[in-house]
Amino acid sequence: MTVQPAPAPADLGAPIADWVRIEDLYDDPYPIYRRLRAESPVAWVPAVGRYLVTSFEACHRIEQDADTFSADEEGSLMKRSMGHSMLRKDDPEHQVDRAAYGPVLRPKAIKETWTAVFARNAEKYLADFAAAGPGADLHLGFAAPFAAENLREIMGFRNATQEDLQRWSQTMIDGTGNYADDPDVWAKSAASSAEVDAAIDELIPVLTADPDATLLSAVVNAGLPVEAIRANMKMTIGGGLNEPRDVLGTAVWALLSNPDQLAQVLADPALWPTAFEEAVRWVAPIGMYPRQTTRAVELGGASLPAGARLGVVIGAANRDPEQFEDPEAYNLNREKRPHLAFGGGTHFCAGTWVARTSVAQVALPRLFDALPGLRLADRPAREGGWVFRGMLELPVAWN
């Protein structure tokens, strides 16, 4: 479909990057990010109707100043797709919702309750994937069902399948990234949203009467309003599935493309967490999220008016040469520097330890142990996306 570029604010205060196209961002955003950083790290991009922020310094500043850069954006695509979740709230409202998540997702609970679940699911879906034989797609055949089943169990959707969560997640996050305003995308997102509402409504009385260790039980019994429960669960279905799924695929793709680094990790399993962190830096699964200015402010050489809609481009910040040496390369031996793949400040990703544990501690070592000689297949791997980015296909072979 043809989309009309968004009109620029009257008091723009920044260069206009009218050469940026959504389809190019989807295919390969990194050349675009390099040019934007070089020309202006804060630029108005008509194609997406917001200022894109592409330098590490500016993105980090935004995360540390919630008073100036609000998460509660007007006209939010995420609100339209999923409802008003904690990701689009500022404190103190944000903290009220987030507090209910703590007991379920903190490292102690991950270790004592959920690591065993991750291990069981890894064994099941690795066995299924191995049975498919060499040439199978690791992204769809292992990473996606593994991440989806882990999330289904953590969230407590006993009345849904992992296939349901995959469908819900993809269609709703397509809505949050629907900058082209495609009506078919909105229709699919709305249908999944309604299914999630129905599943939650069915479980609320069950979990009120008989609480368990799941996330849905925690938020129900924390006394959150039903609309907050629904919105936060939809937000979690989106990021909680795509982040571990996509970093798992990216890490495998990176290691198989760099045999010397793979050999390093196989010789020293203590490096699996390092391989994970470099993968999530190299290709940030959540590549961009919005903020809105509450006052006029100078940022990255631009003079932004109050109410300016920003895109905080983590996918660009994590490849900023001012922060990382040779940032376009996957290199697990690089100097350790902080990245922004899990956000920062009060909105630091609540599911960080789920991703780190399920992927770095469980899935990656078991995958390479179960499939000796794992390597890329003859059919090429593909990745895509910019608001969310990850593998689309990852065909592999093994001995």
Side-chain angles (χ1 to χ4, degrees):
M1 63 180 294
T2 301
V3 181
Q4 294 300 319
D11 48 348
L12 192 59
I16 299 177
D18 56 6
W19 49 270
V20 176
R21 302 189 312 160
I22 291 177
E23 53 266 42
D24 295 333
L25 284 167
Y26 183 90
D27 291 340
D28 183 4
Y30 299 111
I32 296 170
Y33 296 160
R34 289 194 293 271
R35 180 174 169 183
L36 286 172
R37 273 196 312 266
E39 295 182 357
S40 178
V42 179
W44 174 259
V45 179
V48 296
R50 64 185 59 241
Y51 299 85
L52 291 189
V53 183
T54 51
S55 73
F56 186 95
E57 180 183 16
C59 289
H60 183 258
R61 180 183 165 192
I62 289 170
E63 282 294 356
Q64 302 306 310
D65 186 1
D67 289 337
T68 303
F69 303 101
S70 173
D72 192 7
E73 183 192 45
E74 298 171 5
S76 164
L77 297 185
M78 174 174 265
K79 290 180 188 177
R80 178 173 174 180
S81 179
M82 300 179 175
H84 198 174
S85 74
M86 70 176 82
L87 277 189
R88 294 296 164 262
K89 295 180 181 179
D90 299 317
D91 285 342
E93 291 81 8
H94 161 265
Q95 186 54 38
V96 170
D97 287 7
R98 187 178 176 117
Y101 275 49
V104 181
L105 300 183
R106 65 169 56 108
K108 184 174 186 289
I110 300 299
K111 180 179 180 180
E112 294 180 354
T113 303
W114 301 115
T115 301
V117 172
F118 303 156
R120 183 186 72 235
N121 289 335
E123 296 300 326
K124 168 179 168 43
Y125 289 106
L126 272 174
D128 291 349
F129 181 70
D137 181 354
L138 186 73
H139 171 69
L140 293 178
F142 174 63
F146 171 69
E149 180 60 18
N150 288 341
L151 185 64
R152 188 193 70 81
E153 296 195 48
I154 291 172
M155 295 189 73
F157 278 107
R158 63 182 78 174
N159 55 351
T161 66
Q162 62 89 0
E163 290 88 354
D164 291 327
L165 264 76
Q166 287 197 58
R167 176 169 45 82
W168 294 344
S169 177
Q170 191 60 56
T171 51
M172 289 191 297
I173 67 172
D174 285 348
T176 68
N178 190 19
Y179 289 92
D181 199 27
D182 186 329
D184 291 338
V185 171
W186 287 129
K188 292 176 182 177
S189 177
S192 289
S193 179
E195 288 183 38
V196 176
D197 287 347
I200 291 171
D201 292 350
E202 181 182 22
L203 289 171
I204 285 176
V206 176
L207 294 170
T208 301
D210 185 18
D212 59 25
T214 66
L215 191 58
L216 186 53
S217 177
V219 298
V220 165
N221 291 289
L224 295 181
V226 66
E227 288 307 316
I229 293 171
R230 289 172 171 177
N232 285 313
M233 291 298 98
K234 292 170 193 174
M235 174 271 294
T236 304
I237 291 169
L241 197 159
N242 90 293
E243 195 155 21
R245 177 198 67 193
D246 290 348
V247 73
L248 173 54
T250 294
V252 172
W253 184 41
L255 290 170
L256 296 183
S257 301
N258 294 275
D260 54 335
Q261 296 185 58
L262 174 58
Q264 249 187 294
V265 180
L266 294 179
D268 181 6
L271 289 174
W272 284 119
T274 304
F276 170 91
E277 295 295 334
E278 174 63 356
V280 82
R281 177 210 67 85
W282 186 53
V283 179
I286 299 177
M288 189 281 285
Y289 49 82
R291 291 291 185 265
Q292 185 167 352
T293 58
T294 60
R295 61 179 179 85
V297 63
E298 297 286 327
L299 180 72
S303 299
L304 302 177
R309 292 157 59 87
L310 311 181
V312 185
V313 189
I314 298 305
N318 278 355
R319 292 196 181 195
D320 188 340
E322 295 295 319
Q323 177 71 5
F324 304 101
E325 183 179 357
D326 191 17
E328 304 293 331
Y330 178 89
N331 179 10
L332 59 83
N333 297 301
R334 71 172 60 254
E335 176 188 359
K336 188 175 182 180
R337 303 288 303 274
H339 61 70
L340 297 176
F342 294 112
T346 59
H347 285 87
F348 185 78
C349 178
T352 297
W353 288 104
V354 171
R356 284 174 169 159
T357 303
S358 64
V359 176
Q361 295 185 24
V362 175
L364 285 172
R366 281 172 169 78
L367 173 67
F368 281 90
D369 183 62
L371 303 176
L374 187 65
R375 59 193 179 274
L376 295 174
D378 293 337
R379 193 168 80 257
R382 294 192 308 119
E383 61 174 347
W386 71 286
V387 178
F388 300 89
R389 188 164 182 84
M391 305 308 300
L392 302 175
E393 291 183 85
L394 184 56
V396 294
W398 58 91
N399 296 339

